[in-house]
Amino acid sequence: MKHLTILSKIENYMDRFTQAEKKIAVYIMEHAEIVPNLTTKDISNNTGASEASVVRFCKTIGIGSFKAFKIALVRDLTVAEMNINDFSVMDKKDTPYDLFNKVTYVNKAAIEATVSTLDKRELDKATEEIVKAKKIIFYGVGGSAVSAMDGAYKFGKIGYHAIMSPDFHMVITLVGHMEEGDIFVAVSNSGKTKDVLELARFAKKKGATIIAITKLGKSPLFKEADIKLCTPDMEQDIRIGSIASKMAQQNIIDSLYVICFNRIGNKVSSKLHEYSEEAGKLRR
């Protein structure tokens, strides 16, 4: 594996590490691909160093926490080593199966990294707000519009008045009818998309709760949102399409859907069976 930003930095810092930190550094260099899925306790058990040493190791290389270190490592592993999302993909003559494996790796890495970027408390807050809501408007543009549309489709299945339209002017009229207790789910990888921001701010004025599905970081949308469900920053601004970011967004939406169905499924299961039977008639 070629050296990447974080791994190169670790190698350059070898002379500065304590003995315990060196054990951690060597382990990470040799097992970089699995480290994002480990805890400080796992690293401690695997190296013989203390959990406190793991935290000190991160601070020695200028990263404030092990969580932040894992996010940075995932980004390096995915973007720098297997970058399939910018124009450099044309530089290699990969076979279709090679590219399939690379896309699979990147999508898998995006989902696994979300375990580190998603705040459990924010997820709990989102669940509580959605369960008691009646109306949910999802909105995103570009690749994020696909995730938003999927959210509206899924929550509509379990009885919510769930809406998504790619037409900004249509959505702004719908937002005008929002009120306290309604949910506006803003989906934007960058957190800077003007249309999304304007609608989120308008929905907030109407009393709706703003849930942002956006990359971790102090973006305008991150600051506006009442609840932040954060994805890893794994894509460049100039890219051939939303791949890893869309996968992470949809994983969060799927999780919210399953969580809410777990809470209210007993109230809507008969309806689900009913329309499934009706839909089944169209396939006969």
Side-chain angles (χ1 to χ4, degrees), residues 11-240:
E11 190 172 47
N12 292 337
Y13 272 63
M14 278 296 183
D15 292 338
R16 307 187 199 182
F17 292 141
T18 64
Q19 285 303 113
E21 289 171 348
K22 280 184 180 178
K23 290 180 182 178
I24 295 164
V26 170
Y27 180 82
I28 289 173
M29 294 285 287
E30 293 177 351
H31 303 88
E33 289 82 0
I34 67 169
V35 169
N37 299 321
L38 303 180
T39 64
T40 53
K41 186 174 183 180
D42 294 328
I43 300 290
S44 173
N45 291 338
N46 293 341
T47 62
S50 67
E51 289 187 64
S53 294
V54 178
V55 176
R56 283 195 295 272
F57 162 82
C58 296
K59 291 182 177 178
T60 299
I61 60 171
I63 298 177
S65 68
F66 185 59
K67 178 179 177 180
F69 171 79
K70 290 196 293 182
I71 294 167
L73 180 59
V74 167
R75 179 173 172 80
D76 279 353
L77 289 170
T78 306
V79 175
E81 183 167 274
M82 264 191 191
N83 196 349
I84 48 83
N85 207 23
D86 69 13
F87 293 95
S88 67
V89 74
M90 297 184 293
D91 297 338
K92 293 183 179 180
K93 301 302 179 185
D94 289 320
T95 68
Y97 192 66
D98 288 337
L99 288 170
F100 164 78
N101 278 305
K102 288 186 177 183
V103 171
T104 301
Y105 176 89
V106 167
N107 284 337
K108 180 182 176 184
I111 291 174
E112 290 176 344
T114 308
V115 175
S116 296
T117 58
L118 188 70
D119 188 318
K120 177 181 178 294
R121 293 165 298 183
E122 294 291 288
L123 183 63
D124 289 342
K125 284 162 60 178
T127 300
E128 294 307 315
E129 292 297 323
I130 293 173
V131 164
K132 64 187 182 183
K134 291 183 179 178
K135 182 191 293 182
I136 309 175
I137 295 180
F138 290 82
Y139 189 73
V141 301
S144 296
V146 177
S147 302
M149 183 67 75
D150 186 60
Y153 169 72
K154 282 189 166 71
F155 279 88
K157 289 180 70 171
I158 54 176
Y160 286 90
H161 182 197
I163 309 163
M164 191 280 169
S165 171
D167 186 331
F168 174 87
H169 294 282
M170 178 177 178
V171 176
I172 202 167
T173 62
L174 298 172
V175 171
H177 293 282
M178 297 188 87
E179 55 190 32
E180 189 173 345
D182 293 338
I183 306 285
F184 185 86
V185 180
V187 188
S188 170
N189 180 56
S190 70
K192 300 175 183 177
T193 307
K194 186 176 180 181
D195 288 9
V196 178
L197 282 168
E198 290 299 319
L199 289 172
R201 287 165 180 160
F202 187 31
K204 199 167 190 176
K205 285 181 184 177
K206 302 301 294 184
T209 298
I210 311 302
I211 297 176
I213 299 178
T214 188
K215 71 179 181 182
L216 186 66
K218 303 298 182 181
S219 68
L221 181 58
F222 184 94
K223 294 174 183 176
E224 289 286 342
D226 300 301
I227 300 169
K228 295 101 170 164
L229 302 179
C230 293
T231 58
D233 180 8
M234 299 180 68
E235 291 184 343
Q236 299 176 1
D237 290 336
I238 299 175
R239 55 187 186 267
I240 61 173

Side-chain angles (χ1 to χ4, degrees), residues 262-281:
N262 176 261
R263 297 285 186 93
I264 66 170
N266 59 327
K267 299 177 183 177
V268 299
S269 58
S270 61
K271 299 283 186 183
L272 283 167
H273 287 300
E274 185 180 357
Y275 75 64
S276 292
E277 289 175 5
E278 288 297 317
K281 292 176 184 178

